Amino acid sequence: DLLGTGTLSGPEPAEAAARASASIYSSLGDRAGRALALLVLAEIFSDQSEFAALEDACSTAVALGREAGNPQVQARGLELLSGAHALQGDANGAQAELDEAHNLYVEANDRRGMANSLGMLSRIAHMKGRLESAAEYSQMAIQRFEELGDRRSVALASCNLGKIHLERGARDEARDR
């Protein structure tokens, strides 16, 4: 039971607070709010490497986001699922979830979500040894982050792109990044 009966004085205050929030939102019939609380729980489960609980929380959040017509909630749940699958070595599952998340961000015109998902897609492609695709995703992420004026994310994505170029043997391109 994801909602449980946790209180704020429980052994894990963050988890108890997220469970209480999900319970309140549920009692109010607020699907999007409950989904957001479940995503907080999923992040907690991710930090604790509790993948089964993370998958339950994310799957429920994605379904609630879909019912509430909130593509960003769906996309965030899919991103968290993707991360869990990547950590467990399932790059194909991670790729499919990130592709869907990216499409949802595009549908919602969420530029930050699009940029972040492109960066994550680059890391998954890199994991799969698809270095050309990884470089393309990184370049698209850099462009999006530049449009947002997010220099820190540009720097991180550029660093990742440099690593990809080094692995591809393109030392001059890596040095330019």
Side-chain angles (χ1 to χ4, degrees), residues 56-125:
D56 286 345
C58 285
S59 296
T60 302
V62 168
L64 289 167
R66 188 172 293 119
E67 290 171 17
N70 189 325
Q72 283 124 325
V73 166
Q74 294 174 67
R76 182 64 186 136
L78 289 164
E79 284 177 347
L80 288 168
L81 277 172
S82 173
H85 288 142
L87 287 172
Q88 295 175 83
D90 180 8
N92 290 330
Q95 171 83 42
E97 289 151 352
L98 275 177
D99 284 338
E100 187 177 349
H102 181 74
N103 290 336
L104 288 163
Y105 284 131
V106 169
E107 174 187 317
N109 197 30
D110 181 336
R111 295 176 2 171
R112 165 79 49 202
M114 285 186 264
N116 287 334
S117 63
L118 287 166
M120 288 184 269
L121 283 164
S122 174
R123 286 189 292 282
I124 297 299

Side-chain angles (χ1 to χ4, degrees), residues 5-17 19-20:
T5 57
T7 64
L8 296 179
S9 62
E12 186 66 51
E15 183 177 338
R19 286 182 186 279

Side-chain angles (χ1 to χ4, degrees), residues 3 19-30 34:
L3 297 179
R19 286 182 186 279
S21 176
S23 180
I24 293 166
Y25 280 125
S26 184
S27 72
L28 295 171
D30 184 340
R34 181 173 172 225

